[in-house]
Amino acid sequence: MAHNRINIILKKQYSRLIKFKKNNINQLRGNTDYKKFVIISRSRTGSTLLMALLNNHSEVICEGELFKNLNGLSCKIIWQNFFNKKPKIIKQVGFKLFYYHPFENDKQVWEFIKKEKDITIIHLVRNNLLRSFTSQKIGEKTKQWTENKNRPHEIDLLSKKIKLNYKDCLNTFEKIKRYEEITREDFKSFNFIEVSYEDLNSNRDEELNKIFNKLGLFNEKVGTVMKKQNPESLQVLIENFEELKIKFKNSKWEYLFDEG
């Protein structure tokens, strides 16, 4: 056990050293001639998948939720620290931002984005709001948010099964739709592209090429070891699926309960 702890500590120290050296090399030899982009989305839409795919393009750097928790820093400092010099090969630098980030009162990152008139907005949505909400609740229950082909979690179905509250579902559906509409309106004059989780999964290369074209990049074949976490049907994952289906019958959300 002690030997394992030492190995973990050494790996972390090595990782910090590599990051330190890389940052210093970038400051000496890098440039800031790249363009900027941001993935605007919400949780459980495949944003981590898209980030991983973009990062595998040789001319892209894409980070995660930089502005989720500010950890005592201001949005301005985080923005300036991130958009510093990058390797000369890099043409596009971006990050992902959820509708409701940051969680702190400092929301200035949204002002910075709107001032960058040549920034590209990648709006990532998930058409099946029920499956997205289900995925969120399963994640909260299992504490597992990603799945790797090489290191599967192998969580059994019983551990994933959940029960959903009708009002929680309704409020979530309405809230997400409002977020989506606000984003489309706020960034309609920007270099804007909307991508759905469903299309990204069914026509991955085609959708990625659309994004690369929007970013002004050449089409490059990219991949990832990430895999879908909850491939089971909603009828199987949601214990009270039939009850919810009846309650949402004849509503504008009825279509969410038909995966056929």
Side-chain angles (χ1 to χ4, degrees), residues 2-34:
H3 180 71
N4 288 338
R5 284 199 297 272
I6 292 171
N7 280 338
I8 292 172
I9 292 170
L10 288 174
K11 284 179 181 179
K12 286 183 178 179
Q13 289 177 340
Y14 178 75
S15 177
R16 291 192 194 102
L17 176 62
I18 294 298
K19 188 174 182 180
F20 175 78
K21 288 177 70 176
K22 184 178 178 181
N23 287 339
N24 278 277
I25 289 171
N26 288 343
Q27 290 304 315
L28 291 171
R29 301 178 186 173
N31 72 90
T32 56
D33 294 335
Y34 52 78

Side-chain angles (χ1 to χ4, degrees), residues 33-65:
D33 294 335
Y34 52 78
K35 294 291 183 64
K36 300 170 185 173
F37 71 91
V38 58
I39 300 169
I40 297 179
S41 189
R42 67 181 194 278
S43 63
R44 315 318 290 165
T45 57
S47 62
T48 301
L49 169 66
L50 179 56
M51 180 183 74
L53 290 167
L54 289 175
N55 263 323
N56 279 324
H57 192 289
S58 59
E59 295 181 336
V60 177
I61 290 176
C62 183
E63 288 291 337
E65 299 156 45

Side-chain angles (χ1 to χ4, degrees), residues 144-243:
Q144 299 293 343
W145 299 98
T146 60
E147 186 76 38
N148 188 313
K149 293 176 184 176
N150 300 326
R151 297 187 301 278
H153 297 306
E154 298 180 351
I155 299 173
D156 62 85
L157 178 59
L158 186 61
S159 299
K160 293 199 288 186
K161 275 181 171 288
I162 55 164
K163 193 170 185 178
L164 296 179
N165 177 274
Y166 168 75
K167 287 187 177 180
D168 287 345
C169 288
L170 182 60
N171 291 337
T172 297
F173 299 160
E174 297 285 359
K175 182 170 64 175
I176 289 171
K177 278 303 176 185
R178 283 197 299 273
Y179 277 136
E180 290 178 355
E181 290 165 5
I182 290 170
T183 300
R184 293 181 186 117
E185 179 64 25
D186 283 353
F187 297 102
K188 63 184 179 182
S189 63
F190 284 68
N191 190 34
F192 180 96
I193 181 171
E194 183 164 291
V195 182
S196 76
Y197 168 88
E198 288 81 2
D199 287 342
L200 191 61
N201 273 287
S202 61
N203 303 297
R204 181 163 298 176
D205 290 343
E206 182 181 338
E207 292 304 302
L208 284 172
N209 287 341
K210 288 179 185 177
I211 296 172
F212 293 153
N213 291 338
K214 202 70 174 175
L215 293 171
L217 303 171
F218 66 90
N219 294 342
E220 184 175 319
K221 186 76 173 177
V222 297
T224 176
V225 295
M226 294 184 66
K227 61 177 288 191
K228 191 172 183 179
Q229 279 188 280
N230 306 304
E232 300 88 354
S233 69
L234 290 174
Q235 292 95 321
V236 171
L237 292 169
I238 305 172
E239 291 180 13
N240 58 330
F241 179 86
E242 293 301 327
E243 175 190 332

Side-chain angles (χ1 to χ4, degrees), residues 73 85 95 118 250:
L73 300 176
K85 289 183 179 180
F95 59 93
D118 62 344
N250 297 324

